[in-house]
């Protein structure tokens, strides 16, 4: 039983260290076109309403 607990502690510690030092999964240089489009539309709406 103690061997099992030690093995689990080692596995959890290893997983915590790897997740702390590893970068995020997937591509990090992805451009969110939907967010850019929405920001541009909101800026345009704000520009039209600020002249009133």
């Amino acid at each position: 039983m103690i061997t099992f607990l030690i093995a689990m502690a080692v596995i959890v510690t290893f997983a915590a260290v790897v997740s702390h030092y590893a970068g995020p999964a997937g591509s990090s240089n992805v451009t969110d076109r939907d967010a850019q489009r929405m920001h541009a539309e909101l800026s345009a709406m704000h520009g039209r309403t600020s002249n009133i």
Side-chain angles (χ1 to χ4, degrees):
M1 183 68 180
I2 198 82
T3 306
F4 174 74
L5 293 176
I6 292 172
M8 290 303 291
V10 168
I11 292 170
V12 169
T13 304
F14 178 74
V17 168
V18 168
S19 67
H20 182 268
Y21 289 109
S27 300
S28 60
N29 295 329
V30 174
T31 303
D32 190 356
R33 299 287 183 203
D34 290 333
Q36 287 179 341
R37 189 176 302 114
M38 184 178 64
H39 181 68
E41 290 175 1
L42 290 174
S43 296
M45 283 193 278
H46 178 61
R48 284 193 298 263
T49 59
S50 64
N51 295 332
I52 297 175

